[in-house]
Each structure stands twice: as C-alpha cells, then as structure tokens.
Amino acid sequence: MAETQTGRDEAGDEQRGDGDGGVIVGIDLGTTNSLVAVYDADGPRVLVPEGESALVPSAVRYEADDASARGVRAVVGDDASARAVEFPSSTITSVKRLMGRSLADARADLPYLGYTVAQGERSVARVVVPSAGGSMVDLTPQEVSADILRALRARAESVLGHAVEKAVVTVPAYFDDAQRQATRDAGRIAGIEVVRIVNEPTAAALAYGIGLGRAAHAGDRAPTAAVYDLGGGTFDVSILRLTDAGNAETPAMFEVLSTAGDTRLGGDDVDHLLVSLFTCEMRAQLGLPEPAGEDGLEGFEPATRRALKAFATAVKHRLSTEESAAVEIAINEAQTYRREITRGEFERLITPWVERTGEACRRALRDARDALDGDTIDAAVLVGGSTRIPLVRRVAGEIFGVEPYTALDPDRVVALGAAVQAGVLSGAAKGALLLDVIPLSLGIETRGGAVAKLIVRNSAVPARATEMFSTSVDGQTNVTIRVLQGEREMAEDCRDLGTFELRGIPPMPAGIPQVEVVFAVDANGVLRITAHERRSGKRAELEVIPRHGLTEGEVERIEAESLEHAREDMTRHRIVDLVVNSRLDLKWIGERLEKFGGKLDDGVREQIHTNLQHVRTMVEAGDADWRSVDANAFHAAKQRLDESSVPLQEIGIAESLRGD
C-alpha cells in the first residue's frame, strides 16, 4: 500500500463535446419507465411513434427461442408489463436496482420481484429465466438493460428515419463507479455508444433551462434551484446555481453546488409498504399462518406476488389524485380480502419513507451552505413519477421554502434534459454549459489504515488530483494501492473500490521512492488512476470498476457517520500519520546516531537518546491502541526529537560532503 503522503495538486478539465455533428439522442433509463428524446430546431422533444405512449415500461419478458444464441428472445415494454402476472418468472422489472450490485445488496428487493435472482461471478446479481429446451439461462442486469436500450433505439430510429448510434444516458447522481460502468456496458451491448453519462437531477435542470432562471426572480444574483428527483427506484437531490446571461451568444451555466441521495429509495418502496400491509392484514383476517420473513410474502406464488405489486402500484396512483381507494383481493373462491385506504392512512404509512428524502435534502443544503452564502433557494423542481404524491410535494415545499415548480411532466423532464446535453455535444444546441459534481470523496489507503482523500465530495467534474507518496520499508519493490470511496478517515469505514500494484520499483531505503498517484474523474463520473515511481519510471494504471454498487442506506450511513465520528476519525488519522512518520524518524536518526554519535557532545547525544525512546514508546502505544495516545503529546515528542537531532543531521551532511 502507499505510505507517506507528501503533497497535492488539483485541477479540473473542460468538458469536451462529441464534435462530429452527428445526431445524439438522450435516454432516461428508468427503474419503472424509460424514454428517448432528441434536440432539434424546435428544442428538446420526446420521441413517440404515432399511436404509442411516450413512456416505455422498463420491463422485459424473455421467451424461449431456439434461433437465439441466448436461447431466449426479449419482449420489451407495454406487452411485457401488462402480462407480468401471467409470466412472473420470465418478466424482469426494476432491473435498474440490480445494476452493478451484489446478490447481498439486492436481497431486500428479492421477495417483491417475482423472478429469480442468483449470484454470478464475483457475487454479482444475475437474473435467471427459462430458455429453449426447458433449461435456464442467467443474464446480467446489463444485458436486460441493453434489451431496453435496443427498444429505445429502435423507437428513435423509427421516428427520426435514420440510424442512431450515440446517446447521452442519465443515471442517479449517487450511482457509484460500478453502476455507471454497468450503464456504459449496457449501452455497448445494445450497440449504442454512450458518449456522456449525466446525473438525473442535473438533466432535469437542463430541461427547465433558462426559463427556470427567469421564473426564480432572483434579482441581480444568479438564481439557485433544488432539483428533487424521486423516481421508481432511486432518489437524488441537487442544489444548482444557474447563470443566465439573457442572450443567445452566452450560454446558461448550470453549476451543481452539492448533491445527495439514496440509490435504494423510490416508488418501489411505497409499493413494498402497501404489499406488506395487505399481506399482514390478509393473514390476520383470513387466519393464515404468520410468515417467517419480514416482507410477509413467504408462501405466495410468484404470480400472486406480481399481482400484489401491481395492485399496490394502482392504489398508490389512485391515492395521489383521490382521497381514498378501495382494496379488494380475491384469495380463492371462498375468501376475499376487502378494505378501504384513505389518503391520511396512506400518508402515515409512507411518512418515514418521505422523511428519508428530507434528510438527504438537508444534507445537500448543508453542503451547499458556503456557496449559497446566505441566499435562499429560488425554485424547487420536482422530477420523477413519485413526486405526484401530495405528501411528497408538501414536504419538498416545506424543506426548500418555495412552492414546487412542476411546469414539465415529471416523467419526461429527465429525458428532455438528456436531449439538451446531447444537443450540446452534437452541436445542435449552444445554450447551456453543465458543471456537475462528484457525490462521494475518493482516496487511497495509507500506512496504518488511514485514508488520504485526493478528490473530495461535491468537487466539480471532470476532476483531477495528484499526490506524492513514498514507502516506509527498506528495499520495498512493490506498492499496493487500495482505492476507497467515502467520508470517514479510516479505510475500514470506507467503501473499497479496487486494488492495484505498482511493481518493479528498484530497492531503495524507506522514504526515498517518489510515487506519484493521479486520480482523474471524467465527465461521466468514472474514475481512472495512474501511479508513477519517478526515480525508476515504473508505471501502473487502473480504471476503477468496483464489484458492486452502494448497499441500501449506505450513502446516508456514510455521510451520517462521517459527521458523528468526525473528531474521533481525525484524531485517529493524525495518530496513524504520526506513527508512520515517526517510524521513519526513528530509523534515520537511529542510524545516524550509531554512525556519528561519537562526534556529538555527551549532553546532546543523551538528549537524542531520551527523545528517541520517548517517541518509540509513543509509536508502540499507538500501534497497540491509538486511543491510548494523546495526539498533541505525540506531536510534541516528535518535534522535540526532530529539533534535538539537528546537530546530528548537520554532522551527517558534513561527513557525506567529505565523502566519509
């Protein structure tokens, strides 16, 4: 692993467009529904074949097909969604919640899916469906998403009348590197070059565009907006500043000040709450045995689970526009479950779910506090179908202190924003400049398990940071670099993104190698790392693709714990650094004392011996239990050793110059 941190240099890179002038579509690859849009002379518009809906359900049914290499053919969209109850085990929905995730990450969703999810290579979740010949075939979430993307591309080509090969695709702001890479891979499988990945709330701001700035009435200052994006599977909130020059020559600049969210929070969770309510009451009312699992679905067939999910979704939609909804579910020929749910009861049920979005909003506001400098939010934009729930709209308005802005269809706004960015990249649109941010800090593990953060959260992308490290072991020829993501100070409390090694460094004394580590995050939010040992010229690089995505509640936990443990973490980090650097002092000063100590006055030599022992005691204590060491006392002891050894260092330098 990398050892001693010695310096840093940060810089951002300009975003670059596609530059060839070809058509680029914008795609909102959603959990529940997906859309494709384009930017042309009339501005952004969703592409809709005549007689069809703008929304394409993100549902794929796999039918056995001997002629297919996979043994199955895909049926995407309305037909797959409408017949999901009829084909529960072969219809894949909400696959976005599996992208870049492990089976363990997805476990909470499994009872509600109706289809089989298994553990694939490196523990990654894969879906299993029947195929030709009665066998089963397992598919990655990327392959399922690719089938949805193929359907969207075919839709775009039928409307535009020509081939479509490139797209801007949106993702939740809190998608990590694995999930973003999975999205790019899905595009590649579908034959689409994903030229840019854009965060969904940022795309929404692009869709509202200059009109949002004018609606804000912020006076002379640049208006600020909060984009509250609550879809079927994910939640994001971003605080943005919009600079609108008011003329066609100067583009509007969308600067993301902060972002927060949860990749496991969306309308699907409301459906799960309603399903749990139904099943619990059905069991009690009809005398059915209690389930072993918390979800209440144990013992129900896949088709029944699908039906309950569809019924819950219908009830949710009804209560968004009406004060009550009747529930009637036939269990069998003799038994029927009946009840009425009022909007008030529904709101009490989902209040904890809505409050989770509020916590993320307050985090984003705290993070943007310095940039806002006392300014209030001028507009709150609601995005995603789940924002149609009245309680959600009220809570969003209360948090941001403004009436939510809903001029555009919340289901279409992200796709329209993706089309705007696609237009900018293709040259069709010249009216916007996008400055997005990194949601979580990125760094590497240093000696002792501490984290050196190279790029901090809410840094603008593209971003680049360079830092110098060295070794603490004589003759070390390999350096292991462990890449981490999170806000805590110790590696054990952060998410492991990947590990790579810089090999073949010539043996040198500890502290002499100069290992330059460069982090570069591109406009898609994907991290690439290079390491270079300057003396030997050895290089290594890695495009970090972590094995899984963020687990449920992980982002919230990461940030909450970083605040809760901030003082403790900083103290531990400080002691770890003191231990690492003091070891080098003990080695270097000890070696020089043994070699040149006879040339020192007795008093100076004894003082160095005393200080060496004091620091050695501190190092041993810090190694055993960092809590047993006073960081200030440790620092003072190290400083005394450094100061007392100056005469020794001077003698060593003089002797070296004489060639002794």
Side-chain angles (χ1 to χ4, degrees):
M1 72 183 59
E3 306 293 350
T4 307
Q5 177 181 339
T6 60
R8 178 182 305 184
D9 172 59
E10 295 189 12
D13 298 326
E14 291 185 4
Q15 292 186 8
R16 293 174 173 82
D18 182 68
D20 65 0
V23 65
I24 305 175
V25 297
I27 292 177
D28 174 8
L29 186 61
T31 305
T32 306
N33 296 297
S34 296
L35 303 90
V36 59
V38 71
Y39 191 101
D40 56 22
D42 297 322
R45 61 187 174 96
V46 174
L47 297 174
V48 186
E50 187 175 353
E52 297 188 29
S53 169
L55 302 180
V56 176
S58 300
V60 185
R61 182 175 72 253
Y62 288 98
E63 299 179 343
D65 184 359
D66 291 323
S68 170
R70 294 188 296 180
V72 291
R73 72 178 187 91
V75 177
V76 180
D78 290 319
D79 185 75
S81 178
R83 303 180 69 184
V85 174
E86 185 179 351
F87 300 101
S89 60
S90 58
T91 302
I92 312 303
T93 57
S94 298
V95 73
K96 186 173 179 177
R97 296 186 82 155
L98 302 178
M99 292 282 278
R101 307 184 72 83
S102 70
L103 182 63
D105 291 339
R107 196 165 300 282
D109 286 323
L110 302 186
Y112 304 95
L113 296 179
Y115 53 87
T116 300
V117 181
Q119 180 170 295
E121 186 180 354
R122 300 188 314 277
S123 302
V124 174
R126 301 170 75 98
V127 302
V128 181
V129 296
S131 67
S135 61
M136 305 295 286
V137 60
D138 63 316
L139 304 169
T140 65
Q142 292 94 315
E143 292 174 282
V144 180
S145 294
D147 285 324
I148 299 171
L149 288 171
R150 287 190 187 97
L152 294 171
R153 183 182 65 177
R155 162 176 285 227
E157 291 176 341
S158 70
V159 175
L160 296 174
H162 56 73
V164 171
E165 298 177 347
K166 299 179 180 181
V168 169
V169 180
T170 62
V171 298
Y174 259 62
F175 255 26
D176 71 3
D177 294 277
Q179 293 163 307
R180 290 170 190 268
Q181 183 64 43
T183 303
R184 291 203 305 182
D185 290 343
R188 189 158 49 250
I189 294 168
I192 299 172
E193 180 186 352
V194 180
V195 296
R196 182 65 51 85
I197 291 176
V198 177
N199 291 338
E200 289 166 2
T202 310
L206 286 173
Y208 276 93
I210 295 172
L212 175 59
R214 291 171 182 159
H217 299 298
D220 294 333
R221 65 178 175 82
T224 57
V227 182
Y228 180 105
D229 182 359
L230 185 58
T234 61
F235 172 69
D236 287 300
V237 58
S238 289
I239 310 299
L240 303 98
R241 177 183 288 125
L242 171 62
T243 303
D244 175 14
N247 59 70
E249 288 73 27
T250 305
M253 183 170 70
F254 298 85
E255 180 186 4
V256 180
L257 304 179
S258 67
T259 190
D262 191 330
T263 59
R264 297 292 304 280
L265 180 64
D268 280 359
D269 300 291
V270 173
D271 298 340
H272 298 170
L273 289 171
L274 287 170
V275 168
S276 295
L277 175 67
F278 297 159
T279 56
C280 180
E281 292 184 348
M282 286 164 61
R283 290 180 184 277
Q285 179 178 321
L286 304 175
L288 299 175
E290 288 295 322
E294 294 182 0
D295 53 74
L297 288 171
E298 185 177 328
F300 286 97
E301 294 297 323
T304 304
R305 298 184 184 197
R306 285 280 193 185
L308 287 168
K309 174 70 163 56
F311 201 88
T313 301
V315 168
K316 176 181 65 179
H317 291 168
R318 179 73 63 84
L319 291 173
S320 293
T321 58
E322 301 177 15
E323 292 299 321
S324 65
V327 179
E328 184 172 318
I329 302 175
I331 304 301
N332 51 46
E333 293 182 359
Q335 296 175 304
T336 301
Y337 165 70
R338 295 185 179 88
R339 65 113 74 211
E340 182 179 72
I341 300 179
T342 65
R343 180 181 290 177
E345 183 180 5
F346 174 66
E347 291 184 348
R348 287 191 293 275
L349 178 69
I350 67 171
T351 290
W353 171 79
V354 178
E355 179 53 30
R356 285 174 64 189
T357 73
E359 292 169 3
C361 291
R362 287 185 280 273
R363 284 202 308 275
L365 287 170
R366 285 195 302 269
D367 288 344
R369 185 185 304 143
D370 291 342
L372 291 173
D373 194 23
D375 292 338
T376 57
I377 297 297
D378 300 302
V381 175
L382 298 188
V383 181
S386 295
T387 61
R388 289 189 171 92
I389 298 174
L391 177 62
V392 169
R393 297 195 169 193
R394 291 201 305 272
V395 169
E398 291 168 1
I399 291 171
F400 299 117
V402 292
E403 183 69 22
Y405 194 61
T406 56
L408 296 178
D409 183 340
D411 286 319
R412 300 190 184 207
V413 63
V414 170
L416 293 172
V420 172
Q421 181 64 23
V424 171
L425 294 176
S426 68
K430 303 183 185 300
L433 176 63
L434 175 61
L435 299 175
D436 218 328
V437 298
I438 294 166
L440 289 170
S441 299
L442 297 164
I444 69 173
E445 180 182 6
T446 59
R447 184 74 174 182
V451 180
K453 294 176 184 174
L454 275 73
I455 301 178
V456 298
R457 67 173 178 167
N458 290 323
S459 297
V461 294
R464 180 184 175 89
T466 301
E467 195 146 4
M468 297 298 299
F469 296 86
S470 191
T471 59
S472 62
V473 178
D474 287 342
Q476 185 172 338
T477 58
N478 297 338
V479 174
T480 300
I481 298 175
R482 182 185 178 200
V483 185
L484 302 161
Q485 180 181 45
E487 304 310 317
R488 298 289 295 276
E489 294 297 320
M490 304 306 295
E492 65 190 44
D493 300 314
C494 292
R495 186 173 184 79
D496 189 345
L497 294 186
T499 301
F500 71 117
E501 282 195 325
L502 179 61
R503 296 177 175 273
I505 301 173
M508 288 181 269
I512 298 301
Q514 298 179 5
V515 181
E516 179 185 72
V517 177
V518 179
F519 274 33
V521 180
D522 65 19
N524 298 310
V526 175
L527 172 64
R528 183 178 292 276
I529 302 168
T530 59
H532 172 216
E533 202 291 302
R534 288 184 167 183
R535 295 178 183 272
S536 63
K538 294 295 182 179
R539 293 180 178 272
E541 75 173 51
L542 170 74
E543 182 171 308
V544 175
I545 306 172
R547 292 175 179 168
H548 318 306
L550 300 173
T551 57
E552 182 176 6
E554 183 169 347
V555 169
E556 182 177 337
R557 177 186 59 77
I558 287 171
E559 295 189 334
E561 289 182 355
S562 72
L563 294 174
E564 179 184 351
H565 300 285
R567 186 180 298 276
E568 175 184 313
D569 287 348
M570 290 300 294
T571 299
R572 184 178 181 185
H573 193 165
R574 186 182 178 196
I575 290 172
V576 165
D577 285 346
L578 283 167
V579 167
V580 171
N581 292 318
S582 294
R583 278 207 184 95
L584 290 174
D585 285 352
L586 292 173
K587 175 181 180 296
W588 289 335
I589 295 172
E591 289 175 351
R592 282 171 172 77
L593 186 62
E594 183 176 344
K595 188 173 184 179
F596 304 118
K599 299 179 182 293
L600 292 170
D601 293 339
D602 291 345
V604 174
R605 186 171 56 254
E606 288 305 315
Q607 186 61 53
I608 294 175
H609 273 298
T610 300
N611 290 336
L612 278 170
Q613 185 55 45
H614 194 191
V615 170
R616 187 173 290 111
T617 300
M618 290 282 195
V619 168
E620 292 171 354
D623 262 344
D625 181 4
W626 66 272
R627 298 176 183 83
S628 67
V629 180
D630 183 295
N632 291 330
F634 196 163
H635 179 267
K638 183 180 181 301
Q639 192 168 17
R640 286 194 298 271
L641 174 61
D642 291 342
E643 291 171 353
S644 66
S645 66
V646 169
L648 177 63
Q649 307 295 355
E650 291 174 344
I651 291 173
I653 292 171
E655 295 296 325
S656 297
L657 291 174
R658 282 197 291 267
D660 293 344

